[in-house]
Amino acid sequence: MIKLGEHDSQTRKFLLLCSSLYDSLVEKTERLGKRVSDEAICAWLEMAAGFASMHHPGRFADGAIENLALEIGSRLPRHRGSRFMPPLSDKIAVRPRLRRVLHVATFISSQGGHTRSLLHWIKKDVESHHSIVLTRQRSIPLYPPLTEAVIQSGGILVSIPDPVSIMERAGWLRQYARDNADLIVLHSIPNDIVPIVAFADGCTVPVAFVNNADHLFWLGSSVADTIINLREISIASSRECRFTRNDQLLPIPLLETHLDVDRHQAREMLGIPRNETVLLTVGRALKYAPSPRQNFFRTARTILERNRQAHLYLVGLTAEDHAAASAPFRHERMHFVGQVADATIWQKAADVYLEGFPFGSQTALLEAVLPGVPCVRVYAPLSPLLAADDIALTGVVASPCDEEAYIASVGHFLEERESAGRLGATLRQRVLRYHVGDTWKDFLKEMYAAAGEVKHAAVKLPRTSSSLGQVDLAISEYHGTRYVGQVDLESTLTGEIDREILGAAYNLRQSGCYKDAFQLVKFANREKNWNRESLLFAAKLIPHRFLYKRKLLRAVR
């Protein structure tokens, strides 16, 4: 892990600014509660938690906002049906003695490792019945393989439609889970407040939370009877910083690909020469945004200059993503592939996999080494939480100590092909053992047993204050990569908050809460002049309310 250095004063200022803005949102929450309904308070809490998740406030959980959501959930009325919601009377017919697992996610998409992990879990666990509820899918297309896997398990997939309020979503989810689940598993994004309100009271089904974002502030510890950690490093930080109960380890589930091609065939399918040396990295563009200490593109250019036969393929990144980077180092043998639905063919074609930085992608690395490809892990990570750290890697391949060691490791694998092949074979066996085969199923059985023994109980969390610990500074440094070159950072962040408040008001308007939408915008602008966007939003409320009522009348008829 990197020691604090020359950039720490700026990172410290950024963290303190984010913490101050978050504290201001919390303080305003307490004043706002006297003016608006529970629905509007929930919308504000979601907005505040969303800001905290993307602008680290020096804490990973906070009772100041989560406890308020619990209080709202404790007075949530029984759901009595809605013209927009699926009927609750339709119970799921399941085979006898099958465990009923209800997965609750905010949304799913065809991109990223979280959706694939959920898909693999359902496919591998044939001894359970799996259903999914999506709290806010909106217009994002569903992922057909996941829908098919749910149906094959005997379950259903429900996407709560957009016009429904937070309170309606939570009330419906509470009753549906109570009637149709033996275990609830939350896969929520960090600021999804619906599960907190839903499971604050009135449901005895055990609730587990998948810790998909162990590096971020998130809501959920208050209602999670069990935390499903995907790597060992998450357990200690969860207990210390999130006040979690019953932490369990469940490695990321993977499936071995059915694509039966060798390296040469894969390259032929991709149009890559058979004798070319192929370096591969896979991840979303935001994970490669240069930090003050690390610049993947600079390091990659040095690797290509020293290994003239090598080409680097960046799956998930476009040339536009690279050009937008604060320090875009270029090279003619750097190829930007963009997003692909399935990276298997690229993984099959690779000679060496390079973990990206400053934020590594654990799922992408594990999937890349599964065909037997050696990997180079991120050097001196800003924090262990920002790099791949997995039971399959422990004791087999370590993180290089610095940039030069990272570059040298790539050169070693390209020169010593037998050594690289042995490492690749070892990694493949380790990933097969812990993520594909029976050992993973043993972890799953242990998790189910531990989660099933607990009776659901929501608990209040302590209020937290900002920390300037090394992990906090490292995550702030990563979050700060989006603001390199900004002159007036406070104005920039305040502008982002204003837009998020408008977004929360827009959601209230869409669910028919017009008075609350206006009050939210009015409250946010009461200490300053109304900006143009707020005035336009307020002006549109009256005609939109008229159209909304017409829509309701048509729905009734």
Side-chain angles (χ1 to χ4, degrees):
M1 186 163 55
I2 287 178
K3 294 182 179 180
L4 305 183
E6 60 179 308
H7 299 289
D8 293 329
S9 62
Q10 294 302 315
T11 299
R12 187 182 298 264
K13 289 178 182 177
F14 179 65
L15 192 157
L16 290 173
L17 174 59
C18 292
S19 176
S20 175
L21 292 171
Y22 168 77
D23 287 338
S24 177
L25 291 174
V26 171
E27 186 271 331
K28 289 177 180 177
T29 303
E30 295 166 351
R31 287 190 281 131
L32 181 67
K34 303 174 182 179
R35 303 166 183 263
V36 297
S37 70
D38 286 347
E39 179 72 22
I41 296 172
C42 284
W44 184 275
L45 293 176
E46 269 199 332
M47 181 272 300
F51 176 82
S53 70
M54 297 304 294
H55 307 82
H56 186 62
R59 68 208 88 181
F60 292 87
D62 190 5
I65 60 176
E66 197 155 343
N67 294 347
L68 186 52
L70 289 182
E71 291 176 15
I72 292 172
S74 69
R75 55 179 180 262
L76 182 68
R78 179 179 173 84
H79 182 79
R80 299 186 183 281
S82 165
R83 63 181 59 88
F84 296 117
M85 299 293 290
L88 283 164
S89 57
D90 296 341
K91 289 197 174 184
I92 303 169
V94 299
R95 285 171 285 170
R97 295 185 298 278
L98 268 186
R99 179 189 301 107
R100 299 173 301 167
V101 180
L102 177 63
H103 302 274
V104 179
T106 311
F107 63 86
I108 55 175
S109 70
S110 60
Q111 304 296 328
H114 300 331
T115 300
R116 293 198 306 279
S117 294
L118 178 52
L119 171 65
H120 297 162
W121 180 340
I122 293 172
K123 282 191 168 185
K124 290 164 73 70
D125 179 24
V126 296
E127 297 178 1
S128 300
H129 154 92
H130 296 271
S131 291
I132 297 177
V133 171
L134 305 173
T135 63
R136 195 162 289 152
Q137 183 71 11
R138 292 180 173 166
S139 59
I140 302 171
L142 294 174
Y143 185 47
L146 184 57
T147 304
E148 181 181 346
V150 168
I151 293 171
Q152 288 182 349
S153 83
I156 64 171
L157 189 151
V158 178
S159 177
I160 300 178
D162 228 10
V164 181
S165 69
I166 292 173
M167 303 301 283
E168 278 188 290
R169 293 169 196 267
W172 183 91
L173 177 59
R174 175 184 292 180
Q175 190 169 336
Y176 182 83
R178 186 174 57 204
D179 295 341
N180 293 284
D182 300 312
L183 175 66
I184 301 161
V185 181
L186 305 182
H187 305 257
S188 312
I189 64 172
N191 66 323
D192 190 347
I193 203 166
V194 172
I196 316 304
V197 178
F199 303 122
D201 197 5
C203 183
T204 59
V205 181
V207 176
F209 188 103
V210 180
N211 190 2
N212 278 320
D214 57 8
H215 62 293
L216 297 180
F217 178 104
W218 47 253
L219 304 175
S221 298
S222 62
V223 298
D225 307 295
T226 300
I227 299 294
I228 301 173
N229 296 285
L230 304 178
R231 50 189 189 165
E232 292 172 308
I233 193 175
S234 304
I235 296 176
S237 63
S238 291
R239 290 173 179 165
E240 180 181 355
C241 303
R242 304 187 195 276
F243 320 107
T244 57
R245 305 163 274 163
N246 193 22
D247 282 83
Q248 301 294 317
L249 175 65
L250 180 66
I252 295 170
L254 299 178
L255 293 175
E256 181 136 43
T257 178
H258 295 295
L259 184 61
D260 188 18
V261 297
D262 61 20
R263 184 172 295 167
H264 295 310
Q265 291 170 323
R267 293 183 180 188
E268 185 176 347
M269 294 170 68
L270 294 170
I272 297 174
R274 289 168 63 96
N275 60 347
E276 185 176 288
T277 298
V278 176
L279 306 178
L280 176 69
T281 189
V282 180
R284 290 178 291 162
L286 60 87
K287 294 189 173 185
Y288 294 85
S291 76
R293 306 169 196 266
Q294 294 177 319
N295 186 321
F296 181 82
F297 305 112
R298 178 189 64 205
T299 305
R301 187 177 70 172
T302 302
I303 290 170
L304 294 175
E305 287 174 348
R306 295 189 187 179
N307 302 275
R308 299 189 179 277
Q309 78 283 15
H311 289 247
L312 173 61
Y313 294 86
L314 300 98
V315 174
L317 288 84
T318 65
E320 291 74 21
D321 294 328
H322 178 236
S326 58
F329 288 81
R330 296 176 174 83
H331 197 283
E332 62 183 2
R333 284 181 277 119
M334 206 179 285
H335 309 287
F336 297 91
V337 178
Q339 292 188 351
V340 298
D342 186 352
T344 300
I345 189 69
W346 294 95
Q347 295 156 356
K348 291 272 190 175
D351 290 301
V352 180
Y353 181 82
L354 309 185
E355 182 180 6
F357 48 81
F359 186 7
S361 178
Q362 180 142 327
T363 303
L365 184 147
L366 294 172
E367 290 178 335
V369 303
L370 188 53
V373 176
C375 69
V376 180
R377 296 172 64 181
V378 58
Y379 72 88
L382 301 178
S383 164
L385 294 177
L386 295 175
D389 190 293
D390 190 83
I391 190 171
L393 306 177
T394 303
V396 178
V397 56
S399 293
C401 59
D402 55 27
E403 183 180 22
E404 183 57 37
Y406 183 94
I407 295 168
S409 294
V410 178
H412 170 75
F413 287 142
L414 297 183
E415 292 177 6
E416 303 292 336
R417 295 301 179 103
E418 288 189 10
S419 174
R422 287 194 297 271
L423 176 59
T426 300
L427 286 171
R428 170 174 165 75
Q429 292 305 314
R430 298 271 294 188
V431 173
L432 285 172
R433 177 183 176 186
Y434 290 110
H435 297 272
V436 179
D438 290 340
T439 300
W440 182 86
K441 292 182 179 180
D442 291 338
F443 277 108
L444 183 68
K445 289 177 182 177
E446 290 176 12
M447 185 278 292
Y448 278 150
E453 291 175 354
V454 181
K455 184 177 180 180
H456 178 59
V459 297
K460 288 189 174 183
L461 305 181
R463 294 176 69 109
T464 54
S465 57
S466 184
S467 168
L468 291 173
Q470 188 156 329
V471 172
D472 301 287
L473 288 167
I475 294 171
S476 288
E477 181 171 326
Y478 168 65
H479 283 170
T481 59
R482 303 194 305 274
Y483 303 102
V484 174
Q486 293 283 349
V487 177
D488 188 352
L489 192 52
E490 184 171 0
S491 295
T492 299
L493 295 183
T494 302
E496 286 188 12
I497 291 173
D498 287 342
R499 288 189 291 275
E500 291 300 320
I501 292 172
L502 273 179
Y506 174 84
N507 290 334
L508 288 169
R509 187 191 78 177
Q510 293 302 97
S511 58
C513 303
Y514 292 94
K515 182 180 178 181
D516 284 330
F518 178 75
Q519 288 293 343
L520 208 67
V521 175
K522 179 183 176 182
F523 177 77
N525 286 279
R526 72 190 187 93
E527 296 175 355
K528 58 185 178 182
N529 293 326
W530 283 55
N531 57 34
R532 180 174 179 271
E533 290 77 11
S534 296
L535 287 170
L536 285 173
F537 178 85
K540 292 178 180 179
L541 284 175
I542 294 176
H544 191 278
R545 184 177 185 181
F546 172 75
L547 293 172
Y548 182 82
K549 284 187 174 181
R550 289 185 63 183
K551 181 179 179 181
L552 288 181
L553 287 172
R554 285 197 301 269
V556 171
R557 291 170 186 167

